Amino acid sequence: DAGVIQSPRHEVTEMGQEVTLRCKPISGHDYLFWYRQTMMRGLELLIYFNNNVPIDDSGMPEDRFSAKMPNASFSTLKIQPSEPRDSAVYFCASSPSGGIGNTQYFGPGTRLTVL
Amino acid sequence: AQTVTQSQPEMSVQEAETVTLSCTYDTSESDYYLFWYKQPPSRQMILVIRQEAYKQQNATENRFSVNFQKAAKSFSLKISDSQLGDAAMYFCAYRFRAGGTSYGKLTFGQGTILTVHP
């Protein structure tokens, strides 16, 4: 199994630019999660999907952030316009609906730097 | 709201020795899951071990074991025969066992940095 795939691994952009992060979950997993990790706030859940439908987006910081899941094998997290405070590592994770604890499996993360 | 607390920002251990990382949590629920994740310098979040709250028996995975004390809301991780590759940030996490198609939010602690000395 290839695991959760994220791209790009690193992104450096300038303030005001649009940023799109991509995720391919593990095949067969029903749930997909987007997290953000910063030194100040630790790991925060931004949004999660079940069967491609957004279920809880209460963690999305503001309207500049949006996430989509057009099909079971692809999701995007978009920031427009980006700001320096958005600099963080963004993780995508996926989980099956069954199994022990519906364990979440994480991708390698995307390190975003906004100058 | 559920909270997870890791009171040890940093820990260190000698190679081949044993170390215990602490975690406490606060919840009013009775059915939930607990996890330990490892994050090495590569940043990859790797599942180490998981525990179902309704199980009395402590989970074990090779050199990793937990001490789950439900009444005390404590979930510590013991690493035996520590290896250099165990050096990482370790996160404790809690997830409520929601019903139906709901999915309880995974709440993480602040993390503990583990250093392994040769």
Side-chain angles (χ1 to χ4, degrees):
Chain A
D1 197 332
V4 176
I5 298 172
Q6 290 186 248
S7 65
R9 292 295 307 275
H10 303 272
E11 177 79 29
V12 180
T13 190
E14 293 188 346
M15 183 174 61
Q17 296 298 306
E18 178 180 294
V19 175
T20 299
L21 311 181
R22 297 172 176 79
C23 175
K24 176 179 170 56
I26 294 172
S27 178
H29 283 192
D30 303 297
Y31 291 89
L32 183 138
F33 307 83
W34 282 101
Y35 289 89
R36 179 171 66 176
Q37 184 179 33
T38 61
M39 288 292 291
M40 292 296 294
R41 301 175 67 90
L43 273 156
E44 303 175 279
L45 176 65
L46 300 177
I47 185 172
Y48 79 88
F49 295 83
N50 177 221
N51 291 324
N52 314 337
V53 176
I55 302 300
D56 183 352
D57 65 354
S58 59
M60 295 285 264
E62 48 198 275
D63 292 344
R64 297 184 298 107
F65 286 69
S66 63
K68 294 182 179 179
M69 192 165 185
N71 58 62
S73 59
F74 183 66
S75 177
T76 59
L77 178 67
K78 186 176 294 186
I79 308 172
Q80 167 63 18
S82 58
E83 297 182 2
R85 60 193 168 117
D86 301 330
S87 297
V89 179
Y90 291 81
F91 287 99
C92 176
S94 70
S95 168
S97 55
I100 299 174
N102 305 114
T103 300
Q104 295 181 27
Y105 297 88
F106 284 73
T110 295
R111 180 177 291 280
L112 173 65
T113 302
V114 183
L115 303 174
Chain B
Q2 293 84 10
T3 58
V4 178
T5 303
Q6 293 177 249
S7 59
Q8 306 153 317
E10 297 183 30
M11 291 285 285
S12 64
V13 64
Q14 291 293 133
E15 196 175 6
E17 298 292 304
T18 295
V19 65
T20 298
L21 308 184
S22 301
C23 173
T24 58
Y25 57 95
D26 186 24
T27 183
S28 58
E29 305 296 338
S30 60
D31 197 3
Y32 50 87
Y33 301 100
L34 295 163
F35 306 85
W36 279 98
Y37 280 89
K38 168 185 176 181
Q39 187 177 40
S42 66
R43 296 198 314 264
Q44 178 84 47
M45 293 286 286
I46 302 165
L47 176 68
V48 175
I49 199 166
R50 58 194 167 200
Q51 174 81 41
E52 296 152 279
Y54 67 87
K55 286 190 174 179
Q56 299 280 354
Q57 187 174 7
N58 289 322
T60 62
E61 287 287 342
N62 301 313
R63 298 182 296 107
F64 299 87
S65 61
V66 298
N67 183 3
F68 173 48
Q69 301 289 329
K70 191 172 185 179
K73 297 181 182 175
S74 171
F75 183 61
S76 61
L77 174 69
K78 185 171 82 171
I79 306 174
S80 304
D81 186 24
S82 297
Q83 300 175 0
L84 296 177
D86 295 334
M89 174 86 89
Y90 286 81
F91 291 93
C92 177
Y94 162 98
R95 189 176 79 72
F96 164 55
R97 184 174 182 166
T101 58
S102 299
Y103 194 103
K105 178 183 174 181
L106 189 61
T107 303
F108 288 89
Q110 308 92 317
T112 297
I113 298 173
L114 177 66
T115 303
V116 181
H117 298 289

